[in-house]
Amino acid sequence: MALVNHSAPQDDLFSGQFCGAVAVRPEFAITASHCVDHRSASSIDVVLGADDICRTTDGGPVPGIRIRVAEILPHAPGASSSDLSLLRLAVPVSPYSIASTLTEASDNPPQRGTAAGWGHSAISYAYSCTLKRFDLQQDAPKNCEDGLERSTALQASLQISPDIPQWCAIARPGSDNTCVGDSGGPVYTTDADPRVFAVVDWGVGCGPRDPGYYSFLPDIDTWIALSRN
């Protein structure tokens, strides 16, 4: 999913895209909280199934399903300082659009994963028209710790607690790294049955050896149940 400004024209979502998200239930998607902080639900649309979000040549709408966000539900249960928010969609999505998820990955994190998004290129620092995929591998603990020490101000601005479990990873050889604008997008396993286990959160930089930090998914059904009480 791409998160776009509701005001973005139907034939050109490029300038209106600002983050990613992933559908986890028919009426719910997850994104990074810092993507939607200080925004109203009515100002955000999700776009599902798009690839190229730049202007169409015939003036028609960018391919994909565009849905209004009805409500923003911040923070996972028991994690008031997490950088995750739940988006309730105005219209439910079809079952084939819902990601298969893995919510116990923080106990036994995968060695490899793939992220997806339309964010900045680490080379040109320009946004991408087409959906990009990033091959990632779990980083060495020392590099992860050094990254945390170098970026305390950024963590504070995102209100991220060091107690929140996150996957620390770098780009695999030959792959670009995630960057600005990829936040909120999915990170999924690379095996025969791929499942989303985290969302793109923040990073020390966009270089291939710069560690990125990806928030593990919580118990989604518990979160939804609590949000309805």
Side-chain angles (χ1 to χ4, degrees):
M1 283 183 163
L3 295 188
V4 302
N5 294 322
H6 176 65
S7 58
Q10 66 172 2
D11 65 334
D12 185 8
L13 304 180
F14 180 76
S15 61
Q17 187 270 335
F18 58 90
C19 270
V22 57
V24 291
R25 296 295 183 270
E27 294 181 69
F28 291 93
I30 285 181
T31 189
S33 292
H34 70 261
C35 290
V36 295
D37 283 345
H38 312 300
R39 291 177 183 263
S40 65
S42 61
S43 71
I44 305 170
D45 291 349
V46 300
V47 179
L48 179 67
D51 180 13
D52 190 332
I53 60 174
C54 284
R55 184 178 298 277
T56 57
T57 57
D58 60 1
V62 170
I65 302 169
R66 188 168 177 174
I67 302 172
R68 299 291 303 273
V69 172
E71 186 178 8
I72 300 171
L73 302 164
H75 307 309
S80 60
S81 56
S82 73
D83 191 36
L84 291 175
S85 286
L86 200 61
L87 307 179
R88 186 170 64 83
L89 308 179
V91 177
V93 299
S94 58
Y96 78 86
S97 304
I98 301 168
S100 176
T101 56
L102 178 65
T103 57
E104 63 270 14
S106 58
D107 297 327
N108 186 25
Q111 295 295 308
R112 293 187 173 190
T114 299
W118 290 268
H120 283 168
S121 166
I123 298 173
S124 64
Y125 215 64
Y127 277 98
S128 174
C129 284
T130 56
L131 182 67
K132 298 184 297 181
R133 291 170 177 81
F134 312 92
D135 295 323
L136 308 172
Q137 64 185 32
Q138 191 169 22
D139 200 6
K142 180 64 167 63
N143 198 36
C144 294
E145 292 169 5
D146 289 347
L148 290 172
E149 291 177 0
R150 298 201 313 267
S151 56
T152 53
L154 178 57
Q155 290 181 74
S157 69
L158 298 179
Q159 299 182 338
I160 296 171
S161 166
D163 297 328
I164 301 302
Q166 291 189 314
W167 190 58
C168 174
I170 56 174
R172 285 160 56 188
S175 175
D176 288 336
N177 207 347
T178 53
C179 199
V180 177
D182 293 318
S183 294
V187 187
Y188 52 93
T189 58
T190 58
D191 53 26
D193 179 26
R195 290 184 287 172
V196 174
F197 66 89
V199 300
V200 181
D201 202 338
W202 65 282
V204 176
C206 298
R209 302 298 300 175
D210 292 325
Y213 300 85
Y214 304 87
S215 290
F216 287 116
L217 296 186
D219 183 328
I220 295 162
D221 289 321
T222 298
W223 190 358
I224 291 172
L226 289 173
S227 72
R228 286 173 166 161
N229 292 337

